[in-house]
Amino acid sequence: MESGAQLDSSSPLDERGCLMPTLHAFDTLTQPADWRHSPIIVLFGDESFLKQRALAKLTEDYENSIGFPASVFDGNQVEWRDVSDEVATVSLFGGDDPRVAIVDEADRLVTQYRDRIEAYVEQKTSHGCLVLVVDKWQPNTRLYKQVDRVGLQIECRAPLESRKGSKAIDEPRVLKWIMMWGEQHHRCKLSKEAAEELLGLVGPKLGLLDQDLAKLALFVEPGDIVDVDKVQKIVGGWRQQTVWEILDAGMDGDVAGAISQLDHLLQAGEAAPAIFAQVSWSLRRFAQVTDTYLRQIRSRQKVNLSAIFKSCGFRDWPSGSLQKNEQRLIRLGRERAAQLHRWLLETDLALKGSHSSPDRARFALEFLFMRMKRETKSEVNSRRS
């Protein structure tokens, strides 16, 4: 919130009467946000599953309160005048209750009519509530700061660690959500170890996690607790085994093996972004190990590589896997391991941009595996010359 921001009657309040900060979708799924006190609500982030769920909660609460559905607009087609007319209109049947106008895929609308949306938020006199569903929502913009002051912002992506500037996933919170969501929405109870295994297999892709929880629920009896073995058998399957083989081959520098397994998955109909999501989840953990290792070296601490691996979420299961992963990281080398974060970011951007088509997406993944290959002495000498 900006310094000097004033609390007014349109500011969203929590149960204690305090101004609410940006909420995470996890919070709104357990306790829906109070849309009545906000002239504008923004759902932002790259996790479409969370946006759909949070929006469903909001519209359900609205319909139960007012008795008729909210107005929904396509952000790629609608003009601002249509949206502003809707939120300014007093309902013929809803009494003094506000009208809610939802603009889905609203990035274009925000870009094209930013000044008018800023004016709408600044006035705070509208009878209705405007809901924008966007992918990008930059905190350094005037509109973001306006909404932060008088509206409500709901973050719809995997939660990050609370320390400032961290881009690491808050695994304990995701694990807690997996167990809660499985039990409450799929009647599927998971042990903590099973939830950890599921997160390791799928990665922090909440929509995929929801699908796999639904799958697990079909194979367990009511009241049974899902264990690690069930997760491996039901969720893993040959596709996940192949992803592991791709990762192992890539870390071992076996580019041909990694590309061969990648082709196997693509031929079976798997999408390159989905494969990358699982591969990158594991590679980010190797990158985290490298960052921790280098930080301890710089601070002249005594380094225990096995302890670092365990602190970054690696487990020695099956027995001996921890040592194999240590050897793979050593084989990759400090110089290349330190670049894993950058390589993953560049691959992600390529898959969302220049290599977004299925025919080109495979090249982005193949290039990632090529980068992980350890150079021979002759290759190093050739490059230097």
Side-chain angles (χ1 to χ4, degrees):
M1 192 193 317
E2 292 179 314
S3 59
Q6 298 296 315
L7 183 63
D8 55 53
S9 59
S10 66
S11 300
L13 309 176
D14 65 13
E15 59 186 7
R16 298 170 297 173
C18 300
L19 190 66
M20 290 193 296
T22 297
L23 298 176
H24 192 273
F26 281 1
D27 301 317
T28 63
L29 292 180
T30 53
Q31 174 128 22
D34 188 358
W35 52 270
R36 292 173 180 272
H37 296 292
S38 178
I40 183 169
I41 299 174
V42 179
L43 283 70
F44 68 95
D46 58 1
E47 186 57 75
S48 59
F49 167 77
L50 285 182
K51 284 192 282 193
Q52 292 169 4
R53 287 291 181 169
L55 191 60
K57 276 284 186 182
L58 187 149
T59 54
E60 180 184 13
D61 181 57
Y62 176 75
E63 292 175 15
N64 290 339
S65 301
I66 308 304
F68 56 88
S71 299
V72 181
F73 299 91
D74 181 355
N76 294 313
Q77 302 292 332
V78 71
E79 299 298 325
W80 171 248
R81 62 177 179 269
D82 300 318
V83 178
S84 60
D85 286 347
E86 179 64 24
V87 293
T89 302
V90 177
S91 172
L92 294 175
F93 307 102
D96 294 329
D97 291 309
R99 296 290 291 268
V100 172
I102 299 169
V103 184
D104 197 14
E105 297 185 10
D107 293 85
R108 181 201 66 87
L109 186 80
V110 172
T111 300
Q112 187 170 348
Y113 297 104
R114 180 177 294 273
D115 56 340
R116 300 188 188 183
I117 299 174
E118 289 174 353
Y120 162 80
V121 178
E122 193 67 31
Q123 291 171 2
K124 302 187 290 292
T125 57
S126 173
H127 188 72
C129 174
L130 172 62
V131 181
L132 300 176
V133 184
V134 297
D135 291 330
K136 297 179 180 179
W137 193 241
Q138 300 297 336
N140 59 348
T141 62
R142 179 170 181 248
L143 182 55
Y144 181 101
K145 296 173 182 177
Q146 285 180 305
V147 177
D148 188 51
R149 187 169 66 248
V150 302
L152 178 62
Q153 302 177 116
I154 301 175
E155 183 181 11
C156 299
R157 58 189 174 198
L160 303 179
E161 292 180 348
S162 58
R163 54 191 174 91
K164 187 175 181 180
S166 175
K167 295 184 179 180
I169 300 297
D170 187 346
E171 289 191 31
R173 194 174 185 193
V174 176
L175 289 172
K176 183 178 179 181
W177 176 83
I178 289 173
M179 291 186 284
M180 179 279 296
W181 194 256
E183 184 171 358
Q184 294 186 5
H185 292 267
H186 298 288
R187 297 181 181 179
C188 177
K189 293 183 179 181
L190 280 78
S191 67
K192 182 181 178 182
E193 293 76 15
E196 290 174 345
E197 184 68 19
L198 181 61
L199 180 59
L201 288 172
V202 179
K205 300 294 181 181
L206 304 177
L208 293 178
L209 287 168
D210 174 67
Q211 294 176 21
D212 284 321
L213 285 169
K215 186 190 302 182
L216 285 167
L218 297 174
F219 290 89
V220 296
E221 296 294 330
D224 287 353
I225 297 178
V226 176
D227 57 17
V228 173
D229 185 59
K230 283 190 175 69
V231 171
Q232 291 168 349
K233 289 180 179 178
I234 297 171
V235 176
W238 74 266
R239 284 181 171 83
Q240 188 59 51
Q241 184 64 38
T242 304
V243 171
W244 285 338
E245 292 170 355
I246 290 175
L247 180 62
D248 290 346
M251 290 295 294
D252 289 339
D254 181 9
V255 178
I259 292 177
S260 175
Q261 296 295 346
L262 172 64
D263 184 67
H264 189 194
L265 281 178
L266 293 173
Q267 291 292 339
E270 291 292 299
I275 299 171
F276 174 69
Q278 297 173 73
V279 170
S280 65
W281 169 247
S282 294
L283 288 180
R284 278 196 297 270
R285 292 199 300 168
F286 279 104
Q288 185 180 0
V289 170
T290 305
D291 291 344
T292 304
Y293 172 83
L294 293 176
R295 188 167 57 250
Q296 292 184 2
I297 289 291
R298 287 193 296 268
S299 60
R300 300 182 184 278
Q301 298 181 39
K302 184 177 180 181
V303 176
N304 185 323
L305 191 57
S306 295
I308 295 175
F309 265 88
K310 290 177 181 178
S311 70
C312 293
F314 286 86
R315 294 184 295 125
D316 192 24
W317 192 96
S319 180
S321 60
L322 191 63
Q323 185 178 4
K324 288 182 180 178
N325 283 323
E326 291 179 27
Q327 292 171 350
R328 288 188 175 110
L329 188 61
I330 293 171
R331 187 182 298 113
L332 182 64
R334 183 187 302 185
E335 183 179 343
R336 284 193 307 287
Q339 298 183 74
L340 280 174
H341 279 308
R342 180 171 63 84
W343 291 347
L344 291 172
L345 175 60
E346 290 173 355
T347 305
D348 184 52
L349 292 175
L351 289 172
K352 293 176 180 176
S354 61
H355 290 65
S356 59
S357 67
D359 291 337
R360 291 181 59 83
R362 67 175 300 144
F363 297 132
L365 294 179
E366 290 175 356
F367 183 55
L368 173 63
F369 301 138
M370 291 284 290
R371 284 173 146 180
M372 293 169 61
K373 180 179 180 297
R374 191 180 188 92
E375 293 178 316
T376 64
K377 289 184 179 181
S378 61
E379 288 172 333
V380 172
N381 293 333
S382 175
R383 176 168 53 82
R384 288 176 177 174
S385 62

